[in-house]
Amino acid sequence: MTGAFPATELVGKQTTDRPARTVQGFRQGAEGRLTDRQRAALRAAYFGGYFDWPRGSTAEEVADAMGVSSPTLHNHLRKGQRELLQVLFDD
């Protein structure tokens, strides 16, 4: 790095220990964060191929299978994805 920026000087360094993350730990962290409807929507969308490319089913098809409207499905998916991403990225 100093080859690209020869005038730079390292003035401090910090090392932190991060706990190892496991699939089981991720699942446990997600369990308490998702509502039953968020979990059901994510599961139905996943197994219905909604997240595949090309899609195996549309949001309308997944919503119909769950007995909810498309906007309701999208709301559950968006909030559920947000919770999963918080578990993944927040320390």
Side-chain angles (χ1 to χ4, degrees):
M1 197 66 144
T2 57
F5 303 100
T8 60
E9 175 185 347
L10 179 64
V11 294
K13 184 175 179 179
Q14 181 178 355
T15 303
T16 60
D17 291 327
R18 294 179 65 167
R21 294 187 182 194
T22 64
V23 172
Q24 185 64 25
F26 178 81
R27 285 184 180 150
Q28 289 174 346
E31 281 298 314
R33 298 184 72 112
L34 294 174
T35 66
D36 290 341
R37 295 304 284 172
Q38 289 167 352
R39 186 178 296 105
L42 288 166
R43 184 176 176 80
Y46 177 78
F47 286 111
Y50 176 75
F51 297 112
D52 296 342
W53 187 257
R55 290 188 196 274
S57 60
T58 66
E60 290 76 18
E61 292 169 334
V62 175
D64 285 345
M66 292 185 64
V68 298
S69 69
S70 181
T72 299
L73 173 73
H74 281 102
N75 185 42
H76 291 315
L77 289 177
R78 189 169 33 259
K79 288 182 178 181
Q81 288 170 333
R82 173 74 179 162
E83 292 298 329
L84 293 177
L85 291 172
Q86 281 183 309
V87 171
L88 181 64
F89 295 125
D90 285 352
D91 288 331

